[in-house]
């Protein structure tokens, strides 16, 4: 058999089944050039680089959701791009990928032949009815869960009335994807080679490029799938403009399918929004005008693109977002298109969570092919502050409707244009932020002069953003002169080895996050204070925080009268000197780390701050004590919910043990305190565990406690001196006691040793 030029690089995914060899043999006999990989032998990225002409998925044991390796992931990616065929397990993967359920059929078949009924199209073209096929299966896709995007193509006749029994084959209504629940490669299946021969004749990713059994193109939802936007071809391949339109049509189909899932229906999203559970939002326009640089940066999270292919599949979106924010980005653009750009709405949700509590956080843009109000509401619920509207892809009526709806949710959209006519539409729309795409979405060619050519049309109060193709300082120089307000950078940032350095080089100059912290500003907390005298001695020696125990039954618990007397001492006793940092954060035009911001608020006060320590007491009691004693801080030392910190009107220090989850959660406790056991026991912390905790999150700042004494504080700090910037304060209780009573000399010695070590090891 001569080799088929149309099947020159067919990839067969082996789901660990002996029949894979038979499938391989039939394909080769029909002229295909076949390479076989097991389902756990390669990654999706590696497979993409191989540029397969077709994909075939073999039979295999187990369930498609748990035992098919990368099969389902591969089907999701290549759907609509190249022909796909699945046998048994392969068919079940197709069924599952598009939303169906694969379950036990009620009968176990092993080598049984059955007469097959079919629709005479696709792989069944030219086959007689009731052709014998061989079946080996106990699982199959269920009729009740058949996805809207799939149709049944073959079945086993059930009963004398000819009713349809177990599904034996499915076909995607739009994409060139077929699957069978029987074995065409079995010697007992008649016409098995003809079925595979029919598959190898298929081309492209969509049925509108194929004729099925003389019946023309497949009809989807009552409409011929062949539309004028999909006619463009270049050397037998889709043009770039057609690719863009393909993505757009694919998104429409995906969104319509998503709307049928419980919890994701439009009414479900609206009900959630009505509960006011959307994350707090900020003004996109105001944040865009706030930048530490002369030009604002819209930093993009972009794993792949149609023009560049894979850029960075392993990127952790929330981690990348935090890097962008701290490097001075005014906006973070999150691509949420899953097939070609490898993003998701979950990326956007995680990015928003990663910025929780961050002072001056960037605005978050959902960058997506948006054509439906549903997508805008979904974006707001996930935490977006703005969305993208592409003039080229929308008629004016739809554009106006989506623009107004976005504004009704408090989000001013970014309106994207590329031509003079599109700019006129955006201006007539009243868009306050216009993005000029330097990439022509039809030819995909980049012209960095596009933005500059259209600037003269824009009203002065409108913010203009240059989009696409920007990779270095030379690309942005002209924009700064022409009055462009911001640049969007994606691929170049994703490939940068040092994000902060790249951004500073790109936009010129350097930035400060406004936090004047020095390691010399280590604070000292004397806890378990039981007398006004001890409080006064501690403050005069340089203590920054004085802790009193308000847990009844504990030996260090103080009475109401003693607590009030200590409170008065804290408010009237001046500290011997002020720290270099005055406890006020300089005005910044960039985001800063949450814990840097909260700790800086506590530093350099002209008096010591009073900390009330509680453990597993009612919130109502804590609030009453805070007010009665004028506590400056509250310390939660038990298993209180992290969320309580947002209900307490003063900063909260919360105790955590090593490896305890939640220590780095931003937006709640002002500082975590690392301590052993219940605290006050003198038990030392494992310093290696402390180091491991700090190394896991460089933005984490802590109060260090646990067995510290005047004698060991210096060596303890020295042992983690490379992590000194993460230690805001040290806390001591039993370490300054003698026989259970506070020793005034030990208090002085501890403070002196801690402050001295701070200067020595910083």
């Amino acid at each position: 058999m001569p080799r088929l030029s149309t099947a020159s690089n067919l990839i067969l995914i082996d789901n660990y089944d002996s029949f894979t060899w038979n499938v391989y043999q039939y394909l080769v006999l029909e002229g295909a050039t076949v390479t076989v990989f097991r389902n756990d032998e390669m990654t999706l990225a590696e497979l993409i680089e191989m540029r397969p002409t077709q994909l075939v998925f073999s039979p295999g044991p187990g369930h498609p959701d748990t035992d098919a390796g990368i099969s389902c992931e591969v089907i999701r990616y290549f759907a609509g791009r190249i022909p796909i065929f699945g046998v048994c397990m392969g068919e079940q993967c197709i069924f599952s990928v598009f939303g169906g359920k694969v379950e036990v059929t009620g009968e176990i078949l092993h080598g049984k032949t059955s007469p097959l009924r079919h629709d005479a199209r696709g792989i069944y073209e030219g086959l007689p009815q009731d052709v014998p096929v061989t079946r080996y299966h106990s699982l199959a896709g269920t009729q009740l869960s058949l996805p809207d995007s799939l149709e049944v193509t073959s079945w086993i006749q059930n009963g004398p009335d000819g009713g349809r029994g177990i599904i034996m084959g499915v076909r995607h209504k739009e994409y060139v994807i077929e699957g069978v629940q029987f074995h065409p490669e079995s010697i007992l299946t008649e016409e098995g080679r003809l079925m595979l021969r029919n598959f190898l004749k298929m081309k492209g990713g969509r049925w509108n490029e194929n004729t099925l059994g003389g019946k023309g193109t497949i009809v989807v939802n009552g409409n011929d799938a062949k539309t004028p936007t999909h006619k463009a071809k270049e050397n037998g391949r889709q043009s770039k403009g057609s690719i863009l339109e393909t993505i757009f049509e694919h998104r429409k189909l995906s969104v319509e399918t998503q709307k049928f899932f419980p919890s994701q229906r439009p009414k479900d999203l609206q009900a959630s929004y009505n509960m006011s559970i959307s994350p707090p939002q900020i003004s996109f326009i105001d944040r865009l005008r706030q930048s530490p640089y002369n030009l604002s940066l819209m930093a993009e999270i972009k794993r792949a693109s149609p023009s560049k292919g894979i850029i960075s599949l392993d990127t952790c979106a929330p981690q990348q977002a935090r890097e962008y924010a701290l490097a001075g980005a005014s906006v973070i653009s999150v691509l949420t298109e899953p097939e070609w750009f490898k993003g998701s709405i979950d990326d956007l949700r995680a990015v928003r969570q990663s910025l929780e509590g961050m002072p001056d956080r960037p605005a978050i843009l959902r960058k997506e092919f948006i054509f439906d109000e549903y997508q805008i509401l979904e974006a707001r619920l996930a935490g977006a502050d703005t969305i993208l509207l592409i003039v080229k892809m929308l008629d004016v009526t739809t554009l106006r409707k989506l623009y107004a709806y976005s504004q009704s949710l408090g989000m001013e959209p970014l309106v994207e244009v590329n031509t003079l006519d599109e700019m006129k539409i955006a201006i007539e729309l009243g868009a306050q932020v216009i993005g000029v795409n330097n990439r022509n979405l039809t030819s995909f060619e980049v012209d960095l002069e596009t933005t500059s050519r259209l600037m003269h049309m824009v009203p002065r109060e409108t913010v203009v953003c240059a989009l696409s193709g920007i990779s270095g300082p030379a690309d942005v120089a002209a924009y700064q002169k022409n009055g462009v307000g911001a640049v969007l950078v994606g691929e170049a940032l994703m490939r940068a080895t040092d994000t902060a350095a790249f951004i500073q080089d790109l936009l010129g100059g350097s930035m400060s996050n406004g936090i004047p912290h020095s390691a010399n500003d280590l604070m000292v907390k004397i806890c378990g204070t039981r007398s006004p005298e001890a409080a006064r001695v501690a403050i005069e020696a340089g203590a920054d925080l004085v802790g009193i125990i308000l847990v009844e039954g504990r030996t260090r618990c103080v009475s109401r009268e003693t607590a009030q007397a200590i409170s008065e001492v804290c408010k009237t006793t001046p500290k011997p000197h002020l720290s270099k940092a005055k406890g006020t954060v300089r005005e910044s035009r960039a985001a800063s780390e949450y814990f840097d911001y909260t700790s800086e608020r506590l530093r350099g006060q002209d008096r010591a701050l009073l900390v009330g320590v509680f453990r597993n007491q009612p919130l109502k009691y804590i609030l009453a004590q805070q007010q009665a004693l004028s506590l400056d801080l509250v310390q939660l030392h038990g298993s209180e919910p992290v969320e309580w910190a947002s209900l307490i009107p003063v900063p909260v220090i919360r105790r955590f043990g090593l490896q305890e989850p939640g220590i780095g959660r931003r937006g709640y406790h002002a500082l975590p305190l690392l301590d052993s056991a219940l605290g006050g026991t003198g038990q030392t912390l494992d310093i290696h565990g402390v180091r491991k905790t700090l190394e896991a999150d460089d933005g984490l700042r802590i109060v260090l406690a646990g067995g510290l004494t005047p004698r060991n504080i210096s060596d303890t700090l020295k042992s983690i001196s490379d992590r000194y910037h993460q230690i805001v304060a040290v806390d001591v209780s039993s370490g300054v006691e003698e026989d259970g009573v506070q020793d005034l000399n030990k208090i002085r010695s501890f403070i002196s040793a801690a402050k001295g070590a701070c200067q020595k090891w910083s």
Side-chain angles (χ1 to χ4, degrees), residues 283-334:
S283 168
F284 170 47
I285 303 174
D286 291 346
R287 190 61 182 88
L288 200 55
R289 288 175 172 148
Q290 177 185 328
S291 173
Y293 305 105
N294 293 328
L295 205 61
S296 293
L297 174 65
M298 305 173 73
E300 188 159 86
I301 296 172
K302 182 178 185 178
R303 294 192 180 92
S305 75
S307 60
K308 298 294 184 178
I310 300 301
I311 297 171
S312 178
L313 281 181
D314 295 330
T315 293
C316 172
Q319 181 180 9
Q320 188 82 359
R322 194 173 284 176
E323 289 183 16
Y324 285 164
L326 296 175
S330 297
V331 177
I332 295 176
S333 169
V334 185

Side-chain angles (χ1 to χ4, degrees), residues 302-518:
K302 182 178 185 178
R303 294 192 180 92
S305 75
S307 60
K308 298 294 184 178
I310 300 301
I311 297 171
S312 178
L313 281 181
D314 295 330
T315 293
C316 172
Q319 181 180 9
Q320 188 82 359
R322 194 173 284 176
E323 289 183 16
Y324 285 164
L326 296 175
S330 297
V331 177
I332 295 176
S333 169
V334 185
L335 276 154
T336 60
E337 194 283 324
E339 303 297 333
W340 282 266
F341 292 90
K342 305 304 172 193
S344 70
I345 194 68
D346 288 331
D347 280 339
L348 191 146
R349 188 174 292 109
V351 164
R352 177 63 182 86
Q353 290 171 350
S354 75
L355 305 181
E356 187 66 34
M358 180 177 283
D360 298 307
R361 71 166 177 86
I364 299 173
L365 162 70
R366 181 184 191 183
K367 196 174 184 189
E368 172 67 276
F369 298 90
I370 289 180
F371 49 84
D372 195 315
E373 292 179 352
Y374 175 90
Q375 296 167 286
I376 300 175
L377 182 58
E378 181 185 43
R380 178 76 283 275
L381 282 167
D385 301 296
T386 182
I387 51 98
L388 175 70
L389 296 176
I390 305 174
V391 173
K392 185 180 187 66
M393 307 303 294
L394 302 167
D395 61 76
V396 174
T397 300
T398 302
L399 177 64
R400 290 187 179 279
K401 182 181 73 170
L402 297 179
Y403 183 82
Y405 181 71
S406 181
Q407 285 186 316
S408 75
L409 299 184
M411 297 190 295
E412 177 64 31
L414 170 64
V415 179
E416 178 184 310
V417 304
N418 176 253
T419 66
L420 184 70
D421 290 338
E422 291 171 8
M423 178 64 84
K424 289 179 180 177
I425 292 173
I427 293 172
E428 291 173 2
L429 183 68
Q432 298 180 56
V433 184
I434 298 177
V436 180
N437 197 339
N438 295 311
R439 175 175 281 111
N440 185 299
L441 294 183
T442 300
S443 67
F444 273 40
E445 294 178 355
V446 174
D447 179 2
L448 294 179
E449 296 296 320
T450 304
T451 302
S452 299
R453 282 196 297 269
L454 298 179
M455 281 297 298
H456 71 280
M457 301 177 59
V458 183
R460 179 173 296 180
E461 63 274 11
T462 303
V463 179
V464 175
C465 310
L467 316 178
S468 294
I470 299 165
S471 60
D475 298 331
V476 303
Y479 297 143
Q480 290 177 317
K481 296 178 182 178
N482 293 338
V484 171
V487 292
L488 184 144
V489 185
E491 180 190 351
L493 266 177
M494 294 292 291
R495 297 187 190 278
T497 55
D498 187 329
T499 301
F502 179 86
I503 290 174
Q504 291 183 18
D505 182 59
L506 180 74
L507 300 179
S510 60
M511 56 147 275
S512 167
N513 63 7
I515 304 298
H517 168 47
S518 163

